[in-house]
Amino acid sequence: MLKPVTSEEQEFFYRLFSDEAVMKWIGRPWTGEQLDSAWSQFLSNSESKLWLIQGSEKQAYGFVSLIKESREGSFQMGTVLKEAKQRKGLATEVMSALMSFGKEHLNAKVINVRFKQEHLASLNLVVKLGFSKFKECNKWQYWRKKLV
């Protein structure tokens, strides 16, 4: 289901993050420069991890990331799925697995997420996974989960 990203996934990454329907909950579709910068960061930075989410037939569904923050043991998590794979429980499964991985292999103590205030699917997801809201700023909600 989760596969560490290699250069083979670049085309899918660019297509997904420039898709207006997918990006409506994250922000605007990324420009070529933003795509190049993010892709380079994930491939070269050992503290920013990106995984491909794929199905049993190895079809690409989306990406999930863990980005180390400045605070010890704190990580930002993000999940992006093709529109056809959203709201089917896949994000719950992927985020649960990645939180366990982060705790066991990266010494993660806190996972932070953010999403647009009006995105009810994300709200339901973080509540289901046991996150707590810690701030609202402009159009964003910020939630965190302490891993024990």
Side-chain angles (χ1 to χ4, degrees), residues 129-143:
L129 291 173
F131 282 73
S132 300
K133 184 176 180 179
F134 70 94
K135 143 174 126 169
E136 281 187 32
C137 185
N138 297 324
K139 59 185 176 190
W140 298 97
Q141 290 190 37
Y142 295 81
W143 292 65

Side-chain angles (χ1 to χ4, degrees), residues 38-146:
W39 184 253
S40 295
Q41 178 186 4
F42 282 119
L43 288 186
S44 64
N45 185 341
S46 63
E47 296 185 338
S48 295
K49 308 281 187 203
L50 182 67
W51 291 267
L52 176 71
I53 303 167
Q54 59 185 13
S56 58
E57 307 274 321
K58 302 210 182 209
Q59 320 93 313
Y61 292 164
F63 294 96
V64 62
S65 64
L66 273 180
I67 300 171
K68 188 169 178 27
E69 296 180 322
S70 58
R71 238 184 356 238
E72 183 64 31
S74 183
F75 289 82
Q76 178 80 32
M77 180 186 287
T79 306
V80 178
L81 294 167
K82 290 181 356 184
E83 194 171 26
K85 295 299 176 183
Q86 295 173 9
R87 296 186 168 105
K88 299 187 183 325
L90 187 56
T92 305
E93 190 177 334
V94 165
M95 287 178 69
S96 293
L98 207 53
M99 284 188 289
S100 295
F101 175 86
K103 182 178 177 183
E104 293 172 28
H105 300 283
L106 303 174
N107 198 27
K109 293 177 177 50
V110 176
I111 300 293
N112 295 302
V113 297
R114 76 174 183 127
F115 53 89
K116 286 188 175 179
Q117 289 181 3
E118 68 270 15
H119 194 206
L120 297 179
S122 289
L123 175 61
N124 292 334
L125 172 64
V126 297
V127 168
K128 183 191 312 185
L129 291 173
F131 282 73
S132 300
K133 184 176 180 179
F134 70 94
K135 143 174 126 169
E136 281 187 32
C137 185
N138 297 324
K139 59 185 176 190
W140 298 97
Q141 290 190 37
Y142 295 81
W143 292 65
R144 79 170 34 121
K145 179 170 181 162
K146 292 182 180 175

